Amino acid sequence: MKNIVKHYQNPILPGFYPDPSICRVNDDYYLVTSTFAYFPGVPIFHSKDLVHWEQIGNILDRKSQLPLQGSGVSEGIFAPTLRYHNGTFYMITTHVSNSLGNFIVTATDPRGPWSDPYPLGSEGIDPSLFFDDDGTCYYCGTKSRREGSRYSGDNEIYVQKLDLDEMKLVGESYPIWHGALRNVVWPEGPHIYKINGMYYLLISEAGTDYHHAISIARSKELFAPFEGNRANPIFTHRNLGRDVPIVNVGHPDIVQTQTGEWWMVLLASRPYGGYYRNLGRETFLTPMTWEDGWPIVNPGKGILEEQGKAPDLETYFVPEIPGKEDFDTDKLPMHFLTLRGPDSDIFTFNKKKSCLSLPCSSHLLSGTETPAYVARRQQHMDFSVETSLSFQPGSGEMAGLCLFQNETNHLKFGIQKDQLVLTEIKDGTERTCFKVSFDNSEEFVQLKIEARSQSLTCYYKKSTDTDYILAGFPTDTSFLCTDFAGGFVGNTIGLFAETVAEAASDSQENYAHFDYLQYLHA
């Protein structure tokens, strides 16, 4: 008797996991998401039930695959597509801040290793691959209209043959659709499917914000103009207003299960504490079916729900990610991230202290180099994070915990010389929220941040303390959201060590030693 999960909870990947793409290989499902300027790039997940997902690797895990220096946090890697054909996995994506542009990497094992990039030299963003019945591969992408765009976001969806042996686009490219609505902006994220002899083109429109919407068109021929569904957009939350649990619904990919069901993965956001989206764009799941040759998303309801009846698939048991990382190995867990560069460039595992050691880097979190920052995604509205830190700061040096949205909007709680400090960087302006005089004579001191909705509180504890001691007063975190900060990413939270540039040239490199990082949610 099969063990079938009855219900699922959205999002299936909480936190900063945007732009999902999915493919099925027999009874196995694989999914990838965007990472922008974070390293490693493009996490890949495996599931057998579409509900429980296990990260099995990161596709772009080498410098040769992912040069990110100088990229803003919301630049870098956009919207990957994952496809499988004849024993090979293909991941195609866009590096928007590097000459790589649109490129493909391949692997025979989804866990890797993946190849170095094959740059395609094509225009635009959001590339996708489609394999026709005869095995011919086609590239589908988004770019400005070839006849000239009338306004920003006046795009076309185009298709062109791709020679997989040479990894080159060949022949002419053909515009096949411009989106569903009159004066539509940002038709993008295209995926082509062939179903019952018809070619279907699934896209998003209106930008990845509150007006995000999903539309579809079809054609009997791949290189002919596509006909839009009269019911377009087939899925959106923009008509529901902003005071709803889920917003920004869009950027879908679809898959048919081995039992014949159809499901859609897509991105959306969960606002909290107002209309703020600190969690960024997350990956959700919803059912779909077909009527009169067109898809119906979440039949009878037409909205993206927080929970639903699960797919008719045997439950896939996934190991739970530990909330606490003790840094007792010589490798970071797969879900950990750095900015713009490999973790080996910015830290060492101190076996003597059994901890992670970060140098006080002059590459600051406010810059576009690789700072000494090791993080994980914020995945919950209410959470706590703590660490144990051994650090003897010199002049201009600081180390501790950081809640990071982007270069111009983040919070740092840590140890400076003779004091604990919470520093707010808001819209590029730095402000000290509070300072606490601090005798840092002990080897390790524990730091803790608690977040309840948009309010953040800081604590510390020495070995002589029974309980955590409040440091300062609660701080508002609503500026750590895309509504205020702009861009496309959600918050990450982690460990940092840095020094101001003036002090860096006059001192020897100093290290902050972190015994663990623990993330818990309420």
Side-chain angles (χ1 to χ4, degrees):
M1 182 176 179
K2 292 194 299 183
N3 186 355
I4 303 293
V5 61
K6 295 182 179 180
H7 294 90
Y8 68 94
Q9 188 74 31
N10 266 324
I12 54 172
L13 292 178
F16 163 48
Y17 289 108
D19 307 320
S21 178
I22 191 170
C23 71
R24 177 171 73 90
V25 183
N26 299 319
D27 295 343
D28 297 288
Y29 299 85
Y30 300 95
L31 185 148
V32 295
T33 68
S34 299
T35 41
F36 295 89
Y38 281 96
F39 193 99
V42 189
I44 182 165
F45 298 86
H46 171 249
S47 179
K48 284 183 174 290
D49 62 11
L50 294 176
V51 174
H52 303 99
W53 293 89
E54 178 183 12
Q55 187 173 351
I56 58 173
N58 290 286
I59 291 179
L60 305 176
D61 62 359
R62 306 188 300 276
K63 271 187 175 180
S64 60
Q65 296 173 308
L66 189 57
L68 285 166
Q69 295 304 308
S71 298
V73 170
S74 284
E75 296 177 339
I77 296 298
F78 277 28
T81 293
L82 182 68
R83 294 295 182 256
Y84 174 84
H85 182 71
N86 280 356
T88 299
F89 290 87
Y90 299 83
M91 192 281 291
I92 184 169
T93 188
T94 311
H95 193 324
V96 301
S97 47
N98 182 276
S99 59
L100 270 177
N102 295 310
F103 68 91
I104 294 175
V105 292
T106 65
T108 54
D109 184 340
R111 292 166 176 78
W114 289 75
S115 70
D116 276 350
Y118 297 97
L120 299 176
S122 53
E123 295 182 67
I125 62 169
D126 293 3
S128 183
L129 297 178
F130 166 68
F131 292 89
D132 212 338
D133 295 338
D134 63 359
T136 304
C137 183
Y138 295 94
Y139 170 103
C140 183
T142 305
K143 67 175 183 177
S144 298
R145 282 181 182 247
R146 62 191 64 202
E147 68 270 24
S149 295
R150 300 161 295 172
Y151 47 81
S152 179
D154 186 19
N155 291 346
E156 70 176 43
I157 308 296
Y158 72 103
V159 67
Q160 189 171 359
K161 186 177 178 180
L162 176 63
D163 184 332
L164 291 176
D165 292 329
E166 298 293 329
M167 284 296 184
K168 294 185 183 299
L169 294 168
V170 294
E172 296 184 39
S173 70
Y174 295 86
I176 57 175
W177 208 33
H178 296 93
L181 302 186
R182 184 176 299 171
N183 296 323
V184 63
V185 293
W186 307 119
E188 59 190 8
H191 294 305
I192 296 175
Y193 316 90
K194 193 171 187 181
I195 302 166
N196 296 328
M198 294 286 289
Y199 296 96
Y200 287 86
L201 173 63
L202 186 67
I203 72 165
S204 288
E205 298 184 3
T208 185
D209 209 319
Y210 290 112
H211 294 101
H212 215 190
I214 297 170
S215 297
I216 194 165
R218 69 184 183 186
S219 176
K220 293 181 179 180
E221 299 178 24
L222 186 56
F223 293 115
F226 277 56
E227 169 202 5
N229 185 352
R230 291 194 297 175
N232 279 326
I234 60 170
F235 206 54
T236 184
H237 275 200
R238 64 189 181 193
N239 56 310
L240 302 181
R242 299 189 177 189
D243 191 17
V244 292
I246 301 172
V247 297
N248 305 352
V249 172
H251 205 101
D253 199 0
I254 61 176
V255 67
Q256 185 180 27
T257 71
Q258 60 270 35
T259 62
E261 295 180 334
W262 285 90
W263 289 84
M264 174 183 285
V265 293
L266 67 166
L267 69 77
S269 299
R270 293 177 293 163
Y272 65 97
Y275 302 134
Y276 302 110
R277 291 167 290 133
N278 305 54
L279 294 167
R281 300 171 303 152
E282 309 172 281
T283 291
F284 289 71
L285 178 71
T286 194
M288 59 172 279
T289 188
W290 295 83
E291 288 185 6
D292 301 324
W294 293 107
I296 305 295
V297 186
N298 199 6
K301 299 177 181 179
I303 62 170
L304 186 56
E305 297 180 288
E306 294 178 90
Q307 58 182 349
K309 184 179 180 297
D312 182 24
L313 297 170
E314 187 168 359
T315 303
Y316 181 53
F317 294 99
V318 174
E320 185 176 354
I321 295 175
K324 186 177 183 181
E325 174 53 42
D326 287 317
F327 304 126
D328 54 1
T329 68
D330 58 357
K331 191 175 182 180
L332 284 176
M334 292 180 186
H335 62 285
F336 271 57
L337 298 163
T338 60
L339 277 167
R340 304 182 194 90
D343 47 39
S344 58
D345 286 1
I346 60 170
F347 74 84
T348 58
F349 286 100
N350 189 318
K351 294 184 178 180
K352 182 178 180 180
K353 291 179 177 285
S354 185
C355 63
L356 182 83
S357 297
L358 289 177
C360 286
S361 174
S362 59
H363 297 319
L364 306 181
L365 287 158
S366 56
T368 56
E369 297 298 322
T370 300
Y373 179 57
V374 174
R376 55 165 297 158
R377 293 161 176 83
Q378 178 190 339
Q379 295 182 286
H380 305 87
M381 302 172 190
D382 300 330
F383 67 92
S384 67
V385 63
E386 63 180 69
T387 189
S388 181
L389 169 62
S390 174
F391 181 47
Q392 300 298 323
S395 177
E397 296 176 342
M398 183 178 183
L401 295 169
C402 179
L403 183 56
F404 187 84
Q405 164 56 223
N406 62 22
E407 299 91 346
T408 57
N409 296 277
H410 51 276
L411 280 166
K412 298 182 291 187
F413 174 52
I415 299 174
Q416 287 183 338
K417 195 170 182 64
D418 303 323
Q419 57 192 8
L420 280 173
V421 180
L422 178 66
T423 302
E424 171 191 275
I425 295 83
K426 182 177 181 179
D427 203 18
T429 299
E430 184 169 323
R431 179 179 73 91
T432 299
C433 299
F434 63 74
K435 294 181 180 179
V436 177
S437 296
F438 189 70
D439 176 14
N440 190 29
S441 58
E442 295 188 9
E443 184 177 11
F444 278 94
V445 176
Q446 290 174 266
L447 304 178
K448 181 178 181 179
I449 288 174
E450 283 190 352
R452 295 295 179 265
S453 187
Q454 296 292 354
S455 180
L456 178 144
T457 308
C458 300
Y459 303 87
Y460 70 95
K461 184 168 69 172
K462 298 183 180 181
S463 61
T464 55
D465 299 320
T466 303
D467 300 312
Y468 273 102
I469 299 170
L470 177 67
F473 46 83
T475 301
D476 177 63
T477 61
S478 61
F479 72 97
L480 301 178
C481 66
T482 55
D483 304 63
F484 179 87
F488 307 117
V489 303
N491 288 341
T492 57
I493 187 162
L495 311 170
F496 80 97
E498 63 182 21
T499 182
V500 295
E502 294 80 7
S505 59
D506 299 326
S507 63
Q508 295 293 319
E509 191 169 57
N510 189 20
Y511 279 82
H513 307 287
F514 297 90
D515 186 49
Y516 66 88
L517 179 66
Q518 179 171 275
Y519 175 95
L520 300 174
H521 63 91

